[in-house]
Amino acid sequence: MRRFNSAILLAVGLSLVSGGASTSHGAIQNAGHSPQNKQPNFVFIMTDDQDLHLDSLNYMPKLQRLVGDEGTVFERHFCTIAVCCPSRVSLMTGKLAHNTNVTDVYPPYGGYPKFVSEGHNDNYLPIWLQDAGYNTYYTGKFLNSHSTSNYNNPYPKGWNGTNFLLDPSTYSYWNSTFQHNHDKPVVSDGYSTDLISAHALTFIKEAHASDRPFFIGITPIAPHSKTAEVEGSSIPAFTDPVPAPRHANKFPNARVPRGGNFNPDTQSGASWILDLPQLNASDVSYMDSYYRHRLQSLQAVDDLVESVVNELKTYNLLEDTYIFYTSDNGYHVGQHRMVPGKGCPYEEDINIPMLVRGPGVPKGRTVDFITSHTDIAATLFDLAGIPLREDFDGIPMPLTAKGMRGARSDPRREHVSVEYWGSNLQEGDIGRVSATGAGVVYSNNTYKAMRVIGGGYNLFYSVWCTNEHELYDLTNDPYQMDNLINTKGKLLGRNIKKVISRLDALLLVLKSCKGSECTLPWQVLHPDKRVTSLAEALSPTYDLFYAAQPDISFSACELGYFPASEGPQEGYAYRRDGDWSHWA
Ligand SMILES: *[C@@H]1O[C@H](CO)[C@@H](O)[C@H](O)[C@H]1NC(C)=O
Ligand SMILES: *[C@@H]1O[C@H](CO)[C@@H](O)[C@H](O)[C@H]1NC(C)=O
Ligand SMILES: *[C@@H]1O[C@H](CO)[C@@H](O)[C@H](O)[C@H]1NC(C)=O
Ligand SMILES: *[C@@H]1O[C@H](CO)[C@@H](O)[C@H](O)[C@H]1NC(C)=O
Ligand SMILES: *[C@@H]1O[C@H](CO)[C@@H](O)[C@H](O)[C@H]1NC(C)=O
């Protein structure tokens, strides 16, 4: 199969060129919507581990009223890696984790030191925005392993003003360590979300005093679990999130929604998940109280949103400012028998909140085309009138009514890929904790997955490092309980194996894609551009071609990104090679 490689590389080159075309298409979508064409301001609020699927947004009335009703809710927004630090690095570079190689929360594969050693501290969003004339500010949690011992070695670059929460007390909720600009870290008396809110208001005031446009990142830790160091362990203890005292008794009757995958009688899934025992009644009752603590801790974030919107209004900035509200990744509490945590490819962990208000953004609208965290850097560039970078793996989110109208049928919005390396942390203080109280990790949580949603289909496909595969048809199985991978019969009117051959080839491209290959993967497989969607690829014309593609497989479960353990890297390109005739 190697003899096709030069042909594949050519296909890659071509699709990069066409990426230029899609760039300008994207740029046209949102341009010109800020008053007087002045560059707009950005306020980017990101929580930590907030779910979309467990109803958390329904407990945030201020967010709903001030951002949701005044803007658009993106119902199918995904993170592309479901854990904090790698997800944030993807967001701030516009690249998938396999292109940042920041794949974990701790060194050697992730955390702030890896962000620095991979060169991202010299080349990421705030620096690019400053180069385009913006003042940039940030308060809250930046990246994991950004700590009292490395905060100045080096300082995060690109910011005009910072007030960071630092490890090891990032997730303590009270008396955390903050670090302002180039000052020494200080232990701050108080509740961290309220302190972050106060810092955010200070930055709005500072930003207003300058005549430049601004970006302000605001990243409270709620509703992340509270963590505390455990002596002799690199893994901390994880306990319930801590609400502000004024919210401590709210929602006494709230409980985890009992969806079709909550602590099921019959387990589904793959790898370590498939082996989990069912949770007993006391575990479930703990989950419900853990869930209430999550909702309670989010109330101070709801207050923060209101304070920020009011402050922007006070300075008459609201009409020139885009407000984004999202989370770094999603969360599960009891789904598929899992104790609290994230890092899995299932909907609860990857499909996350995204609400946007701002100039030209339709009010009170909900949209259901796919967008992702790797689109965000491109989106801000587009709104600021900065030419998109060729190495962006995403494209601008449509934020105008006109852009949104075309998005549902835009093949670049048909799929999103999700990846993960290493182990999975079990949070909460029941059951799955070690004798010392430190969290337990399950290994073999390395996988490549994707969602594919188009006219008539809504699919999930994954390949794990154990070489287990999953295929869920979310139209009929929204809770991902019925793995179709070994079933016979038909899907989308075709033999299921034929569908799988297409999905496998698509994931083969996405799992190591770069730049526009990630948004136009079918062009890598079909350089003649006759196939732009799963529906078109399903034509029987291509049955032999897809049957001939190498299958995805892993040769080991690695803790980091080692392509040599991730099986075939390239497939065949249709009719690229002189020998194509036996496929068609
Ligand atoms: C923000 O930082 C940039 C880059 O260092 C600088 O050009 C700009 O003047 C700063 N803005 C303010 C208000 O100091
Ligand atoms: C925060 O620190 C103060 C002393 O500075 C202490 O009195 C208080 O108990 C601490 N709060 C928590 C929740 O640890
Ligand atoms: C429920 O399971 C946990 C382990 O997850 C165990 O520690 C506990 O004793 C069990 N409780 C009951 C009532 O069986
Ligand atoms: C991880 O997966 C490998 C390959 O399938 C298997 O040999 C190993 O036992 C698994 N490890 C654990 C801890 O499940
Ligand atoms: C990713 O980083 C790890 C740890 O530094 C390194 O060993 C590995 O080779 C890197 N992978 C790639 C593809 O660069």
Side-chain angles (χ1 to χ4, degrees), residues 101 108-109 114 561-563:
N101 202 12
Y109 302 111
K114 180 69 162 156
Y561 183 36
F562 298 98

Side-chain angles (χ1 to χ4, degrees), residues 38-95:
K38 177 181 173 286
Q39 285 170 306
N41 308 310
F42 303 122
V43 171
F44 196 86
I45 304 172
M46 181 162 63
T47 47
D48 201 322
D49 291 355
Q50 185 174 358
D51 61 273
L52 176 65
H53 283 257
L54 311 185
D55 272 357
S56 65
L57 290 180
N58 288 339
Y59 292 85
M60 301 184 72
K62 295 169 181 172
L63 171 67
Q64 298 272 7
R65 177 166 52 81
L66 297 169
V67 185
D69 296 351
E70 292 296 317
T72 294
V73 178
F74 292 78
E75 275 195 331
R76 284 190 175 137
H77 188 82
F78 291 86
C79 59
T80 52
I81 180 162
V83 68
C84 311
C85 172
S87 179
R88 288 164 186 233
V89 173
S90 281
L91 196 155
M92 290 190 288
T93 57
K95 293 186 205 177

Side-chain angles (χ1 to χ4, degrees), residues 42-283:
F42 303 122
V43 171
F44 196 86
I45 304 172
M46 181 162 63
T47 47
D48 201 322
D49 291 355
Q50 185 174 358
D51 61 273
L52 176 65
H53 283 257
L54 311 185
D55 272 357
S56 65
L57 290 180
N58 288 339
Y59 292 85
M60 301 184 72
K62 295 169 181 172
L63 171 67
Q64 298 272 7
R65 177 166 52 81
L66 297 169
V67 185
D69 296 351
E70 292 296 317
T72 294
V73 178
F74 292 78
E75 275 195 331
R76 284 190 175 137
H77 188 82
F78 291 86
C79 59
T80 52
I81 180 162
V83 68
C84 311
C85 172
S87 179
R88 288 164 186 233
V89 173
S90 281
L91 196 155
M92 290 190 288
T93 57
K95 293 186 205 177
L96 293 161
H98 66 252
N99 290 329
T100 68
N101 202 12
V102 177
T103 60
D104 196 356
V105 291
Y106 307 118
Y109 302 111
Y112 180 63
K114 180 69 162 156
F115 167 81
V116 171
S117 68
E118 285 291 331
H120 302 307
N121 195 34
D122 301 304
N123 202 15
Y124 74 127
L125 186 64
I127 295 179
W128 301 329
L129 289 175
Q130 279 187 339
D131 287 348
Y134 276 74
N135 288 327
T136 55
Y137 307 88
Y138 195 98
T139 182
K141 168 185 159 188
F142 185 53
L143 298 173
N144 301 81
S145 310
H146 179 223
S147 73
T148 48
S149 39
N150 67 16
Y151 70 94
N152 58 355
N153 184 26
Y155 290 102
K157 293 186 185 165
W159 304 107
N160 289 85
T162 56
N163 217 322
F164 293 122
L165 268 175
L166 294 182
D167 276 357
S169 63
T170 302
Y171 301 118
S172 61
Y173 281 91
W174 282 94
N175 294 0
S176 308
T177 301
F178 278 85
Q179 191 266 317
H180 178 231
N181 294 348
H182 287 194
D183 303 347
K184 287 213 155 22
V186 287
V187 177
S188 300
D189 247 351
Y191 183 68
S192 83
T193 306
D194 292 342
L195 294 171
I196 290 166
S197 178
H199 297 321
L201 301 193
T202 304
F203 285 145
I204 292 172
K205 194 171 171 188
E206 264 181 61
H208 174 66
S210 162
D211 54 9
R212 290 180 168 220
F214 60 83
F215 171 95
I216 304 181
I218 307 170
T219 53
I221 55 159
H224 196 284
S225 53
K226 178 187 173 188
T227 72
E229 284 186 295
V230 174
E231 229 182 280
S233 167
S234 62
I235 299 165
F238 295 89
T239 56
D240 298 30
V242 181
R246 64 187 183 280
H247 302 127
N249 299 311
K250 292 199 87 163
F251 320 124
N253 300 318
R255 45 176 226 159
V256 183
R258 300 308 199 247
N261 56 11
F262 182 79
N263 198 25
D265 292 340
T266 307
Q267 182 70 327
S268 189
S271 195
W272 60 274
I273 300 156
L274 194 53
D275 297 331
L276 290 175
Q278 199 168 24
L279 300 158
N280 63 29
S282 56
D283 288 344

Side-chain angles (χ1 to χ4, degrees), residues 443-444 465-466 557:
S443 49
N444 287 359
C465 63
T466 54
C557 286

